[in-house]
Amino acid sequence: MTAPIAIIPSRFGAQRFPGKPLALLRGRPMIEHVVARCREAGVFARVLVATDDERIAGVVRAFGGEAVMTSPACASGTDRVAEVARALALPGEAVVVNVQGDEPAMPPRALAALVRCFDDVTLDLATLVRPLDEAERANAGVVKVVLDEGERALYFSRADIPFQRDAGGPAPPRWAHLGVYGYRVRALLRLATLAPTALERAESLEQLRALGHGLRIACAKTDRGSAAVDRPEDVPLAEAALDALGPGP
Protein backbone atom coordinates (compact mmCIF):
# COMPACT_ATOMS: atom_id res chain seq x y z
CA MET A 1 0.00 0.00 0.00
CA THR A 2 1.20 3.52 -0.79
CA ALA A 3 2.24 5.21 2.45
CA PRO A 4 -0.52 7.47 3.84
CA ILE A 5 -0.31 11.24 3.48
CA ALA A 6 -1.68 13.82 5.92
CA ILE A 7 -3.23 16.90 4.33
CA ILE A 8 -4.15 19.86 6.53
CA PRO A 9 -6.57 22.29 4.82
CA SER A 10 -5.94 25.79 6.14
CA ARG A 11 -7.54 29.10 5.27
CA PHE A 12 -6.98 32.58 6.64
CA GLY A 13 -10.48 34.01 6.55
CA ALA A 14 -12.43 32.12 9.22
CA GLN A 15 -15.43 34.30 10.12
CA ARG A 16 -15.21 33.80 13.88
CA PHE A 17 -11.42 33.95 14.05
CA PRO A 18 -9.68 35.60 11.06
CA GLY A 19 -6.07 34.51 10.75
CA LYS A 20 -6.69 31.51 13.02
CA PRO A 21 -3.96 29.21 11.57
CA LEU A 22 -1.33 31.80 12.51
CA ALA A 23 -2.61 32.43 16.06
CA LEU A 24 0.13 31.81 18.59
CA LEU A 25 -0.16 28.96 21.07
CA ARG A 26 2.75 28.67 23.48
CA GLY A 27 4.65 31.05 21.19
CA ARG A 28 4.19 28.99 18.00
CA PRO A 29 1.60 29.37 15.22
CA MET A 30 -1.28 26.94 15.55
CA ILE A 31 -0.62 25.38 12.15
CA GLU A 32 2.88 24.40 13.35
CA HIS A 33 1.36 22.48 16.26
CA VAL A 34 -0.98 20.61 13.90
CA VAL A 35 1.90 19.65 11.63
CA ALA A 36 3.87 18.48 14.68
CA ARG A 37 1.03 16.21 15.83
CA CYS A 38 0.92 14.58 12.39
CA ARG A 39 4.68 14.02 12.37
CA GLU A 40 4.58 12.57 15.88
CA ALA A 41 2.01 9.98 14.75
CA GLY A 42 4.81 8.32 12.78
CA VAL A 43 2.50 6.94 10.07
CA PHE A 44 2.61 9.56 7.32
CA ALA A 45 5.02 9.67 4.39
CA ARG A 46 4.31 13.39 3.96
CA VAL A 47 2.48 16.09 5.90
CA LEU A 48 1.14 18.82 3.63
CA VAL A 49 -0.62 22.07 4.46
CA ALA A 50 -3.14 22.91 1.72
CA THR A 51 -3.91 26.62 1.61
CA ASP A 52 -4.91 29.41 -0.75
CA ASP A 53 -3.13 32.07 1.32
CA GLU A 54 0.53 32.97 0.86
CA ARG A 55 0.77 34.20 4.45
CA ILE A 56 0.00 30.72 5.74
CA ALA A 57 2.24 29.07 3.15
CA GLY A 58 5.12 31.36 4.10
CA VAL A 59 4.84 30.58 7.80
CA VAL A 60 4.66 26.84 7.10
CA ARG A 61 7.78 26.92 4.95
CA ALA A 62 9.58 29.03 7.55
CA PHE A 63 9.24 26.33 10.22
CA GLY A 64 10.26 23.59 7.76
CA GLY A 65 6.82 22.39 6.75
CA GLU A 66 5.51 21.63 3.27
CA ALA A 67 2.78 23.90 1.87
CA VAL A 68 0.74 23.34 -1.27
CA MET A 69 -1.23 26.18 -2.84
CA THR A 70 -4.84 25.39 -3.73
CA SER A 71 -7.67 27.25 -5.41
CA PRO A 72 -9.56 29.91 -3.45
CA ALA A 73 -12.71 28.49 -5.05
CA CYS A 74 -12.62 25.35 -2.86
CA ALA A 75 -15.93 25.27 -0.98
CA SER A 76 -14.74 23.03 1.85
CA GLY A 77 -11.72 21.41 3.40
CA THR A 78 -12.67 18.17 1.67
CA ASP A 79 -12.58 19.92 -1.70
CA ARG A 80 -9.14 21.31 -0.86
CA VAL A 81 -7.84 17.86 0.09
CA ALA A 82 -9.30 16.38 -3.10
CA GLU A 83 -7.57 19.05 -5.19
CA VAL A 84 -4.22 18.11 -3.67
CA ALA A 85 -4.86 14.39 -4.22
CA ARG A 86 -5.59 15.07 -7.90
CA ALA A 87 -2.52 17.29 -8.28
CA LEU A 88 -0.30 14.59 -6.80
CA ALA A 89 -1.88 11.98 -9.11
CA LEU A 90 -2.29 9.62 -6.15
CA PRO A 91 -3.52 6.12 -7.01
CA GLY A 92 -7.08 5.20 -6.06
CA GLU A 93 -6.01 2.81 -3.30
CA ALA A 94 -3.80 5.43 -1.59
CA VAL A 95 -4.87 6.82 1.78
CA VAL A 96 -5.03 10.50 2.68
CA VAL A 97 -6.01 11.87 6.07
CA ASN A 98 -7.74 15.23 6.34
CA VAL A 99 -6.48 16.70 9.61
CA GLN A 100 -8.31 19.82 10.71
CA GLY A 101 -6.07 22.86 10.92
CA ASP A 102 -7.69 24.03 14.16
CA GLU A 103 -6.91 20.83 16.14
CA PRO A 104 -3.45 21.61 17.57
CA ALA A 105 -3.74 19.04 20.37
CA MET A 106 -4.96 16.04 18.34
CA PRO A 107 -3.39 12.98 20.03
CA PRO A 108 -0.83 11.46 17.63
CA ARG A 109 -1.80 7.93 18.71
CA ALA A 110 -5.37 8.66 17.59
CA LEU A 111 -4.12 9.58 14.12
CA ALA A 112 -2.13 6.35 14.04
CA ALA A 113 -5.25 4.36 15.03
CA LEU A 114 -7.19 6.04 12.24
CA VAL A 115 -4.61 5.01 9.66
CA ARG A 116 -4.64 1.41 10.92
CA CYS A 117 -8.30 1.15 9.88
CA PHE A 118 -7.10 1.04 6.28
CA ASP A 119 -5.46 -2.32 6.81
CA ASP A 120 -8.92 -3.33 5.53
CA VAL A 121 -8.34 -2.84 1.81
CA THR A 122 -12.10 -2.61 1.14
CA LEU A 123 -12.56 0.41 3.41
CA ASP A 124 -13.70 3.74 1.92
CA LEU A 125 -13.46 6.15 4.85
CA ALA A 126 -12.48 6.23 8.50
CA THR A 127 -12.89 8.77 11.28
CA LEU A 128 -12.34 9.14 15.03
CA VAL A 129 -14.77 8.87 17.94
CA ARG A 130 -14.41 9.29 21.67
CA PRO A 131 -16.71 8.57 24.62
CA LEU A 132 -19.48 11.17 24.92
CA ASP A 133 -19.66 13.02 28.21
CA GLU A 134 -23.09 12.99 29.83
CA ALA A 135 -23.14 16.80 29.92
CA GLU A 136 -22.67 16.89 26.12
CA ARG A 137 -25.80 14.96 25.23
CA ALA A 138 -27.92 18.11 24.74
CA ASN A 139 -25.13 20.12 23.11
CA ALA A 140 -25.80 20.42 19.38
CA GLY A 141 -22.23 21.59 18.88
CA VAL A 142 -20.97 18.11 19.79
CA VAL A 143 -21.72 15.65 16.99
CA LYS A 144 -22.90 12.22 18.12
CA VAL A 145 -22.43 8.96 16.23
CA VAL A 146 -24.04 5.54 16.56
CA LEU A 147 -21.89 2.52 15.64
CA ASP A 148 -22.77 -0.92 14.36
CA GLU A 149 -21.25 -4.12 15.78
CA GLY A 150 -18.29 -3.80 13.43
CA GLU A 151 -17.55 -0.24 14.63
CA ARG A 152 -18.81 1.33 11.42
CA ALA A 153 -20.90 4.50 11.58
CA LEU A 154 -24.65 4.00 11.32
CA TYR A 155 -25.56 7.69 11.66
CA PHE A 156 -24.19 11.04 12.79
CA SER A 157 -26.39 13.68 14.41
CA ARG A 158 -26.36 16.83 16.46
CA ALA A 159 -29.27 15.33 18.41
CA ASP A 160 -28.99 13.06 21.44
CA ILE A 161 -28.69 9.61 19.87
CA PRO A 162 -29.33 6.77 20.46
CA PHE A 163 -32.71 7.30 22.10
CA GLN A 164 -33.20 5.17 25.21
CA ARG A 165 -36.86 4.18 25.46
CA ASP A 166 -36.54 2.38 28.80
CA ALA A 167 -34.88 4.82 31.17
CA GLY A 168 -34.31 2.02 33.67
CA GLY A 169 -32.56 -0.28 31.22
CA PRO A 170 -28.85 -0.63 30.52
CA ALA A 171 -27.35 2.53 29.06
CA PRO A 172 -26.25 2.22 25.42
CA PRO A 173 -22.72 3.29 24.52
CA ARG A 174 -22.56 6.91 23.45
CA TRP A 175 -19.88 8.33 21.18
CA ALA A 176 -18.82 11.81 20.13
CA HIS A 177 -17.34 12.40 16.70
CA LEU A 178 -13.95 14.00 16.15
CA GLY A 179 -13.78 15.75 12.79
CA VAL A 180 -10.74 13.99 11.35
CA TYR A 181 -11.21 11.81 8.26
CA GLY A 182 -9.15 9.27 6.40
CA TYR A 183 -10.07 8.54 2.79
CA ARG A 184 -9.18 6.02 0.20
CA VAL A 185 -8.39 8.38 -2.70
CA ARG A 186 -10.96 6.74 -4.97
CA ALA A 187 -13.65 7.49 -2.35
CA LEU A 188 -12.40 11.04 -1.76
CA LEU A 189 -12.56 11.93 -5.45
CA ARG A 190 -16.02 10.41 -5.73
CA LEU A 191 -17.25 12.39 -2.72
CA ALA A 192 -16.02 15.62 -4.28
CA THR A 193 -18.42 15.05 -7.20
CA LEU A 194 -21.53 14.15 -5.17
CA ALA A 195 -24.34 16.55 -4.43
CA PRO A 196 -25.28 17.28 -0.80
CA THR A 197 -28.05 15.07 0.56
CA ALA A 198 -31.19 16.17 2.36
CA LEU A 199 -29.90 14.77 5.66
CA GLU A 200 -26.57 16.55 5.23
CA ARG A 201 -28.37 19.86 4.69
CA ALA A 202 -30.72 19.27 7.62
CA GLU A 203 -27.96 18.44 10.12
CA SER A 204 -25.20 20.52 8.47
CA LEU A 205 -22.90 17.49 8.64
CA GLU A 206 -20.83 16.73 5.57
CA GLN A 207 -20.18 13.12 6.61
CA LEU A 208 -23.86 12.33 6.02
CA ARG A 209 -23.21 12.80 2.31
CA ALA A 210 -20.88 9.80 2.40
CA LEU A 211 -23.35 7.63 4.31
CA GLY A 212 -26.23 8.80 2.13
CA HIS A 213 -24.42 7.63 -0.98
CA GLY A 214 -23.54 4.23 0.45
CA LEU A 215 -19.94 4.74 1.53
CA ARG A 216 -18.88 2.91 4.68
CA ILE A 217 -17.18 4.83 7.49
CA ALA A 218 -15.05 2.94 10.02
CA CYS A 219 -14.68 4.55 13.44
CA ALA A 220 -11.43 4.35 15.37
CA LYS A 221 -11.90 4.89 19.09
CA THR A 222 -9.75 7.17 21.15
CA ASP A 223 -10.02 7.73 24.88
CA ARG A 224 -9.56 11.48 24.63
CA GLY A 225 -10.56 14.28 22.36
CA SER A 226 -8.72 17.32 21.15
CA ALA A 227 -9.36 20.99 21.78
CA ALA A 228 -10.59 22.60 18.58
CA VAL A 229 -10.06 26.35 18.27
CA ASP A 230 -13.12 28.11 16.86
CA ARG A 231 -12.79 31.49 18.58
CA PRO A 232 -9.98 33.48 20.21
CA GLU A 233 -11.29 32.51 23.66
CA ASP A 234 -10.59 28.85 22.83
CA VAL A 235 -6.84 29.44 22.73
CA PRO A 236 -6.21 28.97 26.49
CA LEU A 237 -8.12 25.67 26.42
CA ALA A 238 -6.04 24.47 23.48
CA GLU A 239 -2.85 25.49 25.28
CA ALA A 240 -3.92 23.48 28.32
CA ALA A 241 -4.59 20.47 26.04
CA LEU A 242 -1.12 20.89 24.52
CA ASP A 243 0.42 20.88 28.00
CA ALA A 244 -1.41 17.61 28.73
CA LEU A 245 0.02 16.04 25.56
CA GLY A 246 3.60 16.81 26.48
CA PRO A 247 6.50 18.13 24.33
CA GLY A 248 5.55 19.81 21.06
CA PRO A 249 7.30 21.94 18.47
Side-chain angles (χ1 to χ4, degrees), residues 197-217:
T197 64
L199 288 174
E200 175 189 356
R201 291 193 294 267
E203 295 255 21
S204 189
L205 294 175
E206 188 177 7
Q207 59 269 44
L208 292 177
R209 183 183 312 180
L211 288 183
H213 287 282
L215 296 173
R216 298 179 302 158
I217 305 178

Side-chain angles (χ1 to χ4, degrees), residues 25 55 69-70 73 80 94 118-119 133 150 159 163 176-177 215 223:
L25 284 76
R55 290 166 290 188
M69 298 305 297
T70 54
R80 208 171 297 282
F118 290 93
D119 291 344
D133 293 335
F163 176 76
H177 179 231
L215 296 173
D223 59 356

Side-chain angles (χ1 to χ4, degrees), residues 179-199:
V180 180
Y181 298 94
Y183 303 90
R184 198 75 64 182
V185 167
R186 59 174 179 256
L188 171 64
L189 299 183
R190 181 186 171 203
L191 268 176
T193 68
L194 296 175
T197 64
L199 288 174

Side-chain angles (χ1 to χ4, degrees), residues 1 3-4 27 43 48 56 58 66 88-89 122 125 131 133 135 146 169 185 191-192:
M1 183 179 77
V43 292
L48 308 176
I56 295 173
E66 188 174 1
L88 295 176
T122 69
L125 284 86
D133 293 335
V146 175
V185 167
L191 268 176

Side-chain angles (χ1 to χ4, degrees), residues 81-169:
V81 171
E83 181 178 322
V84 174
R86 283 191 294 267
L88 295 176
L90 296 175
E93 70 274 10
V95 172
V96 298
V97 176
N98 178 351
V99 182
Q100 301 298 323
D102 58 4
E103 296 273 5
M106 178 60 63
R109 66 179 180 275
L111 294 174
L114 177 65
V115 168
R116 284 195 297 272
C117 290
F118 290 93
D119 291 344
D120 177 355
V121 297
T122 69
L123 186 67
D124 299 311
L125 284 86
T127 192
L128 290 172
V129 300
R130 63 164 175 81
L132 181 75
D133 293 335
E134 187 68 20
E136 296 174 319
R137 289 178 57 180
N139 183 351
V142 177
V143 177
K144 294 81 175 173
V145 57
V146 175
L147 309 183
D148 68 13
E149 296 304 309
E151 299 188 348
R152 305 289 177 102
L154 287 171
Y155 190 67
F156 298 86
S157 181
R158 298 184 184 279
D160 180 20
I161 58 172
F163 176 76
Q164 186 172 0
R165 182 176 180 181
D166 180 4

